[in-house]
Amino acid sequence: MSLRIGISARLLHDPPPGLGLPQKRLQFLESSMAHWIMAHNAIALMVPFVDEAAPTLVNRVPVSEVVNLLDGLVLQGGIDICPQTYGALPGHPDWAGDPIRDRYELALLRGFVEAGKPVLGVCRGAQLINVYFGGTLVQDIPSQWQDAVPHQDTGRYDRLMHDVTFSPDGLLADLYGADLTHRVTSIHHQCVDRLGDGLVVEARSPRDGVIEAIRHEGTGFVLGLQWHPEFHLQATDETLGLLDSGPVMESFLRAARLRAGRPRSTALSSQETS
């Protein structure tokens, strides 16, 4: 039986008029994220947000039942985390984030962590993991991190790239071998500031020290990547040399199989050894 991996939803609170759904909140996932999961013989399922104010949903299914149905959780990227979620005030109106999405994803994250099921956070998802464990964020790298290299370029979007260096004794170093420096996408203006309790740094940007990956040292699998490994799948001249996203996803799914007590399928094993 294939693993069932939940993906947190991105929220669009005010859709543009051209979509034909005025005054209706939309929930969506970026297709590359689903493709990355499904390329590894797992089922990708978006976990819908339930409106906190919806009067018709008094009998909503508890988060624990959602967690029981799924084998792991992937937290998508997207809009900033609200600074008030980690006890700060926005330094600029544009950094106010989305507290509604914060509450929705933190409830999901808490459910999976407490159940001992694996969690993989991407970009915003990595930052949310840090906040969940009591950490804080740099609200704007360009203005608040001295001598930082560009980590976001709205014009280039997923074509902006830089090196990351893995911690020698970390999980990523184990997955990728002795070469500790790799090339990744970079689409973020915020990053980890104070590290959360029980978290360790897995990767940094070597030129400015910005934290690019974190991991919780507990018994379960909780890993956050500041870059977008799902954007490394498409082979183009620009993506040549980017870090292979396969080992991270396989490690995450291996943890899910172990937690669920499901052996690796014969079909998947034959594909990987061919």
Side-chain angles (χ1 to χ4, degrees), residues 180-270:
L180 299 180
T181 301
H182 297 273
R183 197 96 173 137
V184 299
T185 54
S186 188
I187 316 170
H188 62 105
H189 78 105
Q190 300 194 329
C191 67
V192 170
D193 185 11
R194 187 183 72 242
L195 201 61
D197 297 337
L199 295 173
V200 294
V201 175
E202 280 279 336
R204 290 183 183 270
S205 168
R207 290 178 56 190
D208 56 20
V210 167
I211 294 174
E212 292 282 338
I214 56 176
R215 175 177 55 86
H216 193 258
E217 289 193 295
T219 55
F221 182 107
V222 181
L223 178 68
L225 307 176
Q226 188 60 72
W227 64 90
H228 283 263
E230 75 276 20
F231 292 166
H232 294 193
L233 297 177
Q234 194 170 15
T236 67
D237 289 342
E238 286 188 311
T239 60
L240 287 175
L242 283 176
L243 181 69
D244 181 5
S245 62
V248 166
M249 180 53 65
E250 272 304 310
S251 180
F252 168 70
L253 294 177
R254 185 162 51 248
R257 291 188 198 101
L258 289 173
R259 176 62 179 76
R262 299 180 194 171
R264 184 179 303 222
S265 69
T266 304
L268 182 59
S269 298
S270 64

Side-chain angles (χ1 to χ4, degrees), residues 19 30 87 112 122 161 169 175 180 183 185 206 218 220 225 231 255:
L19 295 181
E30 205 283 326
F112 278 85
V122 171
M161 303 160 195
D169 299 323
L175 293 177
L180 299 180
R183 197 96 173 137
T185 54
L225 307 176
F231 292 166

Side-chain angles (χ1 to χ4, degrees), residues 7 10 28-40 44 74 76 122 157-158 228-234 245 249:
I7 308 174
R10 295 188 182 215
F28 65 100
L29 62 86
E30 205 283 326
S31 60
S32 296
M33 181 63 78
H35 292 167
W36 182 36
I37 295 168
M38 293 188 293
H40 292 269
V74 174
Q76 288 197 83
V122 171
Y157 190 55
D158 59 348
H228 283 263
E230 75 276 20
F231 292 166
H232 294 193
L233 297 177
Q234 194 170 15
S245 62
M249 180 53 65

